[in-house]
Amino acid sequence: MRGRGGGRGGSRGNKAPSAPWSRLKPVELDPLEVFGLPSKGDNRLLDHKTQERYYTKIVERYMTFCSDAGERDELLRRFASLEVGSQQGSSPNNSTAPQSHAITASQHPGARPHPIHAASAPAGVPTTSPATPTNSKGLSDVLSALRKLREGIVASKRTDDFAIQAYLFCIRLAVLVKHPETYHPSILHLLRRIHPRQPMTSVEMSEVVGYLVLDTACRRNDLADAYAVRHRYKLRDAKIDGVLDALAHDNYVLLKRLRLGVDGHKAKLLEYAEEPMRRHALKCFGRSYLSVDLEFLEQCADSNWMDLISNERVGWELEGSKVVIRKVRGR
């Protein structure tokens, strides 16, 4: 009896556990979240080969994000949804915000040796229809991963062609979503640390310096420093010269015209200056005119009458097709 009891006890002891542990699925880690920030102690991204593999994953995720959006208008909305609350020192989007340009999945922003822009894309819908947060999460993950990659490149003191490629991708994407916390320090590091050791092509150099000049003039509102940057790096760009001239003379009409002639990345940077320039133009109307045709006012302000009332809070009165700015008091 003991032997049989012992045998039974032994067989029960040799059985595989019936608990649900063996049915658990392995945790699937997001390839972009596998690594931590080098500044927080994760040193894996200091390895050059690891950096290159990680960059490939980032580009793949970005291309997937563009492909998932499908239509170009939806892609614009997803870019715009990430803009809201992501920039400092920039004006909030409203229904009179300038129309955006975007890059398609076949035009990713990290291509070398020739930078790829969205200059050929016509103006799309206004960036005022935010997508749900889940729609822009893929783009947010890409920006977060690019920060980790940049920290790895800086910590490893890498200054080769790959470093230029990664930084160009990061700068172009951050400009499109109007995220100066990403593109401004990236531009400075590329110009001050990488370029002196591994020169960019003349086209790439002109592109990056152009972004810095426009950001300085439009977002930081420092026109003198913008001219200084242009002189320091010997930038020769007629369109950027025109933008600086328009800002120096508070010429909102010229700024609007120039916006239509630049590529999508530079058009995004011009958006920083448009709202204060529009308000200045409206103040000029208020000081210079007693009344003005509605059509002329809307054309100059690049906004319709209802938007001027709700967004710019003009206190003028509409009488038929004329806008009465100031009424002449009877003698």
Side-chain angles (χ1 to χ4, degrees), residues 315-326:
W316 307 332
E317 296 180 5
L318 180 63
E319 295 182 358
S321 62
K322 282 190 175 295
V323 176
V324 178
I325 298 175
R326 288 180 296 170

Side-chain angles (χ1 to χ4, degrees), residues 174-185:
V175 166
L176 283 177
V177 298
K178 296 175 69 175
H179 199 267
E181 297 86 352
T182 295
Y183 69 70
H184 187 258

Side-chain angles (χ1 to χ4, degrees), residues 140-153:
S140 180
D141 290 344
V142 168
L143 287 174
S144 177
L146 283 170
R147 178 187 173 186
K148 299 174 187 177
L149 179 61
R150 291 197 330 270
E151 286 194 8
I153 292 174

Side-chain angles (χ1 to χ4, degrees), residues 14 17 23 35 38 103 111 218 246 253 258 273 282-283 290 302 318:
N14 292 331
R23 296 196 297 270
F35 300 104
I103 53 180
C218 298
V253 175
L258 290 168
L282 291 173
K283 290 179 181 179
L290 296 177
D302 194 25
L318 180 63

Side-chain angles (χ1 to χ4, degrees), residues 84-275:
V84 180
S86 67
Q87 62 254 18
Q88 294 177 353
S90 62
S91 58
N93 289 340
N94 52 47
S95 57
T96 62
Q99 295 176 327
S100 299
H101 303 255
I103 53 180
T104 63
S106 61
Q107 295 176 312
H108 71 80
R112 283 201 80 191
H114 302 293
I116 298 177
H117 297 286
S120 60
V125 296
T127 59
T128 55
S129 303
T132 59
T134 54
N135 285 341
S136 61
K137 184 181 183 302
L139 196 56
S140 180
D141 290 344
V142 168
L143 287 174
S144 177
L146 283 170
R147 178 187 173 186
K148 299 174 187 177
L149 179 61
R150 291 197 330 270
E151 286 194 8
I153 292 174
V154 172
S156 63
K157 299 180 180 179
R158 187 168 187 176
T159 56
D160 57 3
D161 275 344
F162 171 79
I164 294 176
Q165 179 179 352
Y167 264 79
L168 285 175
F169 181 95
C170 180
I171 291 167
R172 291 164 181 162
L173 179 57
V175 166
L176 283 177
V177 298
K178 296 175 69 175
H179 199 267
E181 297 86 352
T182 295
Y183 69 70
H184 187 258
S186 299
I187 289 173
L188 296 181
H189 183 78
L190 184 55
L191 291 176
R192 297 175 181 177
R193 296 290 183 266
I194 299 178
H195 178 68
R197 296 172 176 80
Q198 182 71 22
M200 292 181 282
T201 67
S202 59
V203 176
E204 291 166 346
M205 185 67 176
S206 178
E207 174 192 359
V208 173
V209 173
Y211 295 156
L212 182 59
V213 170
L214 291 180
D215 180 71
T216 303
C218 298
R219 181 182 66 88
R220 294 172 52 209
N221 194 29
D222 192 340
L223 199 55
D225 193 28
Y227 276 106
V229 171
R230 186 191 65 165
H231 177 73
R232 185 184 312 135
Y233 291 102
K234 299 179 173 60
L235 178 65
R236 298 292 181 267
D237 190 314
K239 293 179 180 178
I240 290 181
D241 290 346
V243 170
L244 295 179
D245 184 65
L247 293 172
H249 293 88
D250 292 318
N251 192 335
Y252 180 58
V253 175
L254 176 59
L255 186 70
K256 288 194 307 173
R257 188 182 305 123
L258 290 168
R259 184 197 70 192
L260 299 177
V262 298
D263 62 65
H265 297 74
K266 291 184 175 68
K268 277 292 181 182
L269 295 172
L270 290 182
E271 290 181 11
Y272 287 113
E274 289 196 341
E275 183 174 338

